[in-house]
Amino acid sequence: MVIYGVSTRNVSNITEVLCGEDFSKSTVSELCKQLDPIVTSWLHRPLTNEYPFLIVDAMFLKVREDGRVRSRGLMIATGINLEGRRELLGMMIGDTESEASWSEFFVHLKQRGLRGVEMITSDHHSGLVKAIRKHLQGVTWQRCQTHFMKNILDATPKALRSEVKAHVRSIFEAADREATRMLLQQTIDRFQDHAPKAMEILDEGFYDAVAVLMLPAPYRVKTRTTNAVERLNSEIRRRERVIRIFPNRESVYRLIGALLMEQDEKWAMGNIYFDMTEFKHWRIERVKASNKVVRLG
């Protein structure tokens, strides 16, 4: 019941009605601690698959530490393996704007066996890109288009937001890089005078936001944003609203880790997320082309 978002107080009330036994909140908490070794083992399990696509997201939780309530970042990594299934690879508490925290998270994933990554999709966190370049060299970073659109619209005058949104969306939905560059220039020319800050953000983040064009068309829509994990985020938030303030870091790993395990099992038993046949063929051809260039060099 706790994992599914029922407060310890309500767990006590429910067990008393159903079983005639009143479990105190402290008893419920102590029972939940039995999850710790199970969750810890899962969070440190070997990663035996290749994960061409990696989605990294972060959120903030309130945690009580040293007698104070502090805002802490929770980093979560989701992979899509060569079978086309999503897997929850791990989580870590850290400073989501810090290169050091992202580096620690990536090192942890690599030590467990993370490999075969072609593209990583995330929001624009300050230290994230630096950590990717350092620890996932050669991996393409795709800036989440949903968050990028929000950044642009936040800097756009209200009267122009609908029109700017339509123009930027046309850029994201273009078929190739040549078309995106043409539409980018048209958009900047159209709104430069009336929304200069928004156009500056668009211009600076353009190439990272359309990096997904490197992939075959069937794989672009689901990898150009972090929307694939939005439902998971909603489930985490639903439980956070019950807890409000986590008593310590261990309780975060216990509850959120158990939730991730549950979701990971559902994905493993559910439908295939991607048919990877075309991707595998694309990757083979890309390796052949790369080897040919090396030989010619």
Side-chain angles (χ1 to χ4, degrees), residues 155-173:
T156 302
K158 287 185 179 180
L160 293 173
R161 285 179 183 173
S162 295
E163 192 176 354
V164 169
K165 183 177 182 179
H167 277 74
V168 175
R169 189 182 299 279
S170 69
I171 296 173
F172 292 161
E173 294 177 352

Side-chain angles (χ1 to χ4, degrees), residues 270-281:
N271 295 330
I272 297 290
Y273 193 67
F274 273 145
D275 179 346
M276 298 293 281
T277 304
E278 186 173 344
F279 171 82
K280 292 175 182 177
H281 177 72

Side-chain angles (χ1 to χ4, degrees), residues 137-267:
Q137 294 180 20
V139 174
T140 299
W141 175 54
Q142 167 64 36
R143 182 172 180 172
C144 174
Q145 291 182 358
T146 299
H147 290 92
F148 186 44
M149 177 74 85
K150 184 178 185 304
N151 297 149
I152 294 168
L153 295 181
D154 285 346
T156 302
K158 287 185 179 180
L160 293 173
R161 285 179 183 173
S162 295
E163 192 176 354
V164 169
K165 183 177 182 179
H167 277 74
V168 175
R169 189 182 299 279
S170 69
I171 296 173
F172 292 161
E173 294 177 352
D176 53 52
R177 291 186 181 275
E178 183 178 351
T180 60
R181 285 193 290 267
M182 180 186 68
L183 291 168
L184 171 69
Q185 193 57 55
Q186 290 177 357
T187 302
I188 292 176
D189 291 344
R190 171 70 178 82
F191 299 104
Q192 181 62 55
D193 293 337
H194 302 290
K197 181 60 177 177
M199 293 303 99
E200 180 183 348
I201 294 171
L202 172 61
D203 191 32
E204 289 180 353
F206 167 73
Y207 287 104
D208 293 326
V210 298
V212 72
L213 290 174
M214 67 172 279
L215 297 174
Y219 305 97
R220 295 175 186 172
V221 172
K222 291 183 178 181
T223 57
R224 67 186 183 183
T225 71
T226 59
N227 291 353
V229 296
E230 284 306 308
R231 184 172 180 179
L232 172 65
N233 291 345
S234 296
E235 289 297 311
I236 294 174
R237 287 299 183 198
R238 186 168 70 83
R239 286 150 180 78
E240 180 211 14
R241 285 193 293 271
V242 173
I243 304 273
R244 290 183 296 176
I245 300 172
F246 288 87
N248 47 52
R249 291 194 177 203
E250 289 75 16
S251 63
V252 177
Y253 283 110
R254 181 182 308 129
L255 179 60
I256 306 303
L259 173 61
L260 298 189
M261 289 179 63
E262 182 85 9
Q263 183 60 65
D264 190 58
E265 290 179 4
K266 290 179 180 178
W267 283 346

